[in-house]
Amino acid sequence: MKEFFGFGGYNRPVEGYMSWQHLTFVTALMILMIASAVYWGRRNKSRSEKEKNMVLAITAILIDAFELFKIVLLCFRANDPLDWLYTLPLFLCSIQLITIPLAAFTKGRLKQASLDFVLIFGVLGAILGTYAAGNNYGSYPVLSFDNVVSGVTHSLAGFAALYIAFSGMVSMKKKNMPITFAILLGFCAAAWVANKLLDYNYMFLVRGDGTPYDLLYSLVKGNAVLYPLMVVLLFLLYITLFYFVYYYLQKRKTSRTSK
């Protein structure tokens, strides 16, 4: 248990990013994530909104509970009560720690926009935070506290996104698009400020750190202005493309039904 939780540092060798151990572990998480979302989503699709929302509420509680436990343990492990400043929910994936509860426990347009945000970024974040997390799997053993909790929270975010889709909780209303954009831009602004104050790399706005963002970092040759702007622009383009593809598919579905 001491070795699993990393007290005194990990003594086991790091299997490495894209090792068979890494790929096996995260693939198992993805299979469980997809199977659970399909089962609960299809099971609740014809049920009341209250029953549908219950699964999302439990997911919100679980993901925040895991993250809170991680923050407490990391502060204890580092023997630094301020270590939580470096675990703020200011990465793209960790925004779901806030948006999933908003989707589960709020009402009206805020709930709808939060459902959209979870749907748009949940699966993407799950993939980036597991298969593409070279920063984690290149630094810690696969079956370690850091990687297991990260894998679980990213999978829960992916589950929430797929569950929203399969259960019919999808909103994706055009009038809520500005709120979805505002959520992202608000977190990007907060991450930028935190990076300046803490000399950290929230939202990977400073550098790629072994993630696919390294490709963008290399493309602009590490330019301190262009790189963060390009990262934010990439987020915005992804949201726009997601909405475009969703409406296109809905239009085709409607036209086929009418025939």
Side-chain angles (χ1 to χ4, degrees):
M1 287 295 99
K2 181 180 178 181
E3 173 64 20
F4 173 78
F5 287 108
F7 288 103
Y10 293 110
N11 296 313
R12 288 174 292 144
V14 176
E15 295 89 347
Y17 177 54
M18 288 296 171
S19 64
W20 70 265
Q21 294 95 333
H22 166 213
L23 294 176
T24 301
F25 175 64
V26 299
T27 299
L29 287 175
M30 292 298 100
I31 291 172
L32 183 60
M33 175 189 86
I34 295 169
S36 300
V38 171
Y39 172 76
W40 288 104
R42 292 175 65 87
R43 177 179 180 270
N44 290 347
K45 188 169 185 178
S46 58
R47 299 194 176 189
S48 68
E49 290 302 314
K50 183 178 180 180
E51 289 175 298
K52 290 180 182 180
N53 201 68
M54 181 61 68
V55 173
L56 202 58
I58 293 172
T59 305
I61 293 169
L62 283 175
I63 194 171
D64 280 3
F66 273 109
E67 189 68 14
L68 181 60
F69 176 63
K70 183 187 82 172
I71 291 171
V72 172
L73 188 135
L74 290 181
C75 289
F76 184 72
R77 194 172 73 181
N79 196 26
D80 182 3
L82 296 179
D83 194 64
W84 62 271
L85 291 171
Y86 302 96
T87 54
L88 296 172
L90 293 176
F91 287 106
L92 182 63
C93 307
S94 54
I95 295 175
Q96 306 290 9
L97 297 167
I98 295 173
T99 52
I100 294 176
L102 286 175
F105 298 113
T106 61
K107 296 181 179 180
R109 290 183 64 186
L110 179 58
K111 181 183 184 70
Q112 293 172 352
S114 298
L115 286 168
D116 292 352
F117 194 95
V118 175
L119 177 66
I120 292 169
F121 284 107
V123 175
L124 177 66
I127 294 171
L128 291 177
T130 53
Y131 285 105
N135 53 324
N136 279 350
Y137 291 94
S139 303
Y140 313 115
V142 171
L143 295 181
S144 63
F145 176 79
D146 295 77
N147 282 334
V148 170
V149 172
S150 176
V152 168
T153 53
H154 283 88
S155 299
L156 284 170
F159 165 82
L162 291 174
Y163 174 77
I164 289 168
F166 284 112
S167 65
M169 295 183 74
V170 178
S171 168
M172 297 298 283
K173 295 179 179 177
K174 292 180 181 179
K175 67 178 183 179
N176 294 326
M177 286 178 66
I179 302 177
T180 305
F181 281 107
I183 291 172
L184 177 68
L185 291 174
F187 276 98
C188 285
W192 186 84
V193 172
N195 288 339
K196 291 294 183 182
L197 294 176
L198 302 172
D199 189 25
Y200 204 55
N201 191 25
Y202 282 120
M203 279 288 216
F204 297 105
L205 293 178
V206 178
R207 58 192 175 274
D209 279 352
T211 67
Y213 296 106
D214 276 332
L215 297 174
L216 191 59
Y217 188 81
S218 299
L219 183 65
V220 299
K221 298 180 180 180
N223 187 287
V225 176
L226 281 178
Y227 172 70
L229 287 176
M230 291 291 285
V231 170
V232 175
L233 180 61
L234 197 63
F235 295 154
L236 297 177
L237 286 174
Y238 174 74
I239 293 177
T240 304
L241 181 62
F242 195 100
Y243 271 103
F244 176 80
V245 172
Y246 176 82
Y247 291 133
Y248 174 75
L249 293 176
Q250 287 297 106
K251 186 177 180 180
R252 288 196 63 181
K253 183 180 178 181
T254 303
S255 63
R256 285 180 180 178
T257 303
S258 62
K259 290 179 181 179

